[in-house]
Amino acid sequence: MSMNRRLEFGRPVSSKRRLKDLLVQKDNRFCADCGSPDPKWASANIGVFVCLKCCSVHRSLGTHISRILSVTLDEWSGDEIDAMMEVGGNASANSIYEAYIPEGYTKPGPDASHEEREKFIRGKYERQEFLKHSLRIVSNKSKSNRQSSFAKKIMDSFRTTSGSKNMEGMVEFIGMLKVKVVKGTNLAIRDMMTSDPYVILKLGQQTVQTAIIKSNLNPVWNEELMLSVPQQYGTISLKVFDHDLFSADDIMGEAEIDLQPLITSAMAFGDAGMFDDMQIGKWLKSNDNALVEDSIVNIIDGKVKQDMLIKLQNVECGELNLELEWLSLDH
């Protein structure tokens, strides 16, 4: 497991805490199969949170199809939690398992009978009735081997590839983002006299990191990091840490980066190569964001770019210079 996935404000995050953090996300607060609130069970190999009533149906499928664990009572292995994190929870899983529900078909609700639940859940996971055809596994292999192959194809479908869609095309990307971390200024001291800073950027399930610069409160990275941008892209989470050899890395500030001004402007203009250099958008400084000054979106040499100066939040001092560049899928 990489350091990035176990850090929260520079300190190790327990496996159970990672699982609970996933559970409280909006789409995971309701059963993936019937919509009942506050599910407390999960299928570790499928990657969904389910209620007690649907849990009983999952158990009847057998562990070769659905391995049910309690979120609060059972012990989870690191691999099981990693698999849940990789899927991302109910919304992502249902985009695969319910991709082709027939028009007019009604899922069972919270008050559905056991028979209604069983019919739907068996159709969804055992018979794979609502899956894209390319994901379905039909063979004479044993159940165990067949489900292993099926699980591999499903997990592959969640692993994204740069600049397009994921392997099976279920999670669509609208473009790529090149983030150049230029430099930091007057960063916070976390060692005796200085710090060893590095920057982590997170967008959705993707995490990227700069190099560590030793003993420097005004580091120059000039390092380009690439992120795929999904349709539901949200904000970029930015955190700066001080690297320590013998203890947990200390937080040196954080910020949220709003991507909407850049992406909306880029899509409105289409092929930027057809236009002369010009300003096409702006992210305005306000009390609700981390900007030091307004951040302008420009077309420069046929590319859509945005420079920004970020004041790090929840820390005594520190600023970061970033340069964002939008890359369409044509690139």
Side-chain angles (χ1 to χ4, degrees):
M1 178 57 53
S2 68
M3 172 188 66
N4 297 345
R5 296 180 68 176
R6 292 197 181 278
L7 284 178
E8 179 177 302
F9 297 101
R11 291 174 173 79
V13 179
S14 70
S15 294
K16 273 295 180 68
R17 174 62 187 276
R18 293 170 62 219
L19 186 64
K20 289 181 180 179
D21 285 347
L22 183 63
L23 178 61
V24 299
Q25 292 179 15
K26 182 179 178 181
D27 294 326
N28 299 329
R29 297 175 188 171
F30 300 89
C31 174
D33 297 328
C34 76
S36 294
D38 198 27
K40 287 293 188 291
W41 300 84
S43 174
N45 55 333
I46 293 174
V48 292
F49 294 98
V50 296
C51 68
L52 179 61
K53 292 180 179 179
C54 289
C55 162
S56 67
V57 180
H58 275 258
R59 289 190 187 280
S60 71
L61 302 180
T63 56
H64 64 286
I65 293 179
S66 184
R67 174 168 160 70
I68 287 291
L69 294 172
S70 167
V71 174
T72 56
L73 301 177
D74 288 324
E75 288 298 321
W76 288 64
S77 71
D79 287 343
E80 287 167 338
I81 291 178
D82 288 346
M84 290 291 295
M85 298 296 292
E86 188 162 15
V87 172
N90 294 351
S92 296
N94 281 348
S95 73
I96 300 290
Y97 287 98
E98 298 180 3
Y100 292 90
I101 287 183
E103 185 176 352
Y105 187 100
T106 302
K107 287 179 60 173
D111 297 326
S113 66
H114 179 80
E115 290 73 20
E116 290 172 320
R117 293 173 197 271
E118 183 171 31
K119 179 180 178 181
F120 174 73
I121 291 171
R122 286 191 178 277
K124 180 177 176 180
Y125 302 112
E126 185 177 55
R127 295 190 297 273
Q128 309 162 24
E129 292 175 354
F130 313 128
L131 279 169
K132 188 176 181 179
H133 287 283
S134 61
L135 282 175
R136 297 177 185 174
I137 301 294
V138 179
S139 73
N140 294 322
K141 297 178 182 179
S142 69
K143 281 187 176 182
S144 177
N145 288 339
R146 182 163 62 91
Q147 185 62 20
S148 175
S149 298
F150 172 55
K152 183 180 185 302
K153 293 190 75 173
I154 290 293
M155 290 309 298
D156 284 345
S157 73
F158 286 106
R159 297 188 177 102
T160 59
T161 57
S162 298
S164 183
K165 299 180 181 181
N166 71 354
M167 187 172 294
E168 295 296 339
M170 305 305 284
V171 178
E172 187 170 358
F173 292 94
I174 58 175
M176 296 287 292
L177 189 68
K178 181 190 295 183
V179 182
K180 184 176 183 179
V181 182
V182 181
K183 64 178 182 179
T185 304
N186 192 31
L187 299 185
I189 296 173
R190 288 294 179 266
D191 296 329
M192 291 293 293
M193 298 290 291
T194 185
S195 295
D196 303 326
Y198 64 93
V199 179
I200 288 179
L201 302 177
K202 183 174 182 180
L203 178 62
Q205 299 298 312
Q206 304 165 82
T207 302
V208 291
Q209 177 184 322
T210 67
I212 299 165
I213 296 186
K214 297 289 187 179
S215 303
N216 200 324
L217 299 179
N218 297 282
V220 176
W221 282 281
N222 281 326
E223 186 171 346
E224 293 181 345
L225 306 172
M226 297 295 293
L227 292 163
S228 300
V229 181
Q231 285 184 324
Q232 304 297 323
Y233 48 83
T235 61
I236 290 180
S237 170
L238 178 154
K239 293 182 180 180
V240 183
F241 290 99
D242 167 51
H243 177 68
D244 288 313
L245 287 175
F246 304 109
S247 62
D249 294 352
D250 295 313
I251 188 73
M252 296 174 63
E254 58 188 333
E256 295 289 326
I257 299 173
D258 186 0
L259 296 178
Q260 186 170 3
L262 173 69
I263 295 175
T264 302
S265 301
M267 291 192 161
F269 277 78
D271 184 0
M274 298 176 60
F275 299 91
D276 294 330
D277 291 1
M278 60 189 296
Q279 177 182 327
I280 62 173
K282 182 185 293 187
W283 180 21
L284 297 175
K285 176 185 182 300
S286 74
N287 293 330
D288 297 326
N289 61 44
L291 287 176
V292 175
E293 57 193 17
D294 292 349
S295 175
I296 308 301
V297 182
N298 293 300
I299 293 178
I300 301 174
D301 297 329
K303 300 176 181 179
V304 179
K305 296 186 174 184
Q306 182 179 10
D307 294 344
M308 60 183 63
L309 181 60
I310 297 291
K311 181 176 177 60
L312 296 172
Q313 308 292 293
N314 302 319
V315 68
E316 58 270 27
C317 60
E319 296 178 355
L320 280 186
N321 284 94
L322 304 175
E323 295 177 3
L324 276 57
E325 179 182 341
W326 173 254
L327 303 174
S328 70
L329 293 182
D330 293 338
H331 285 75

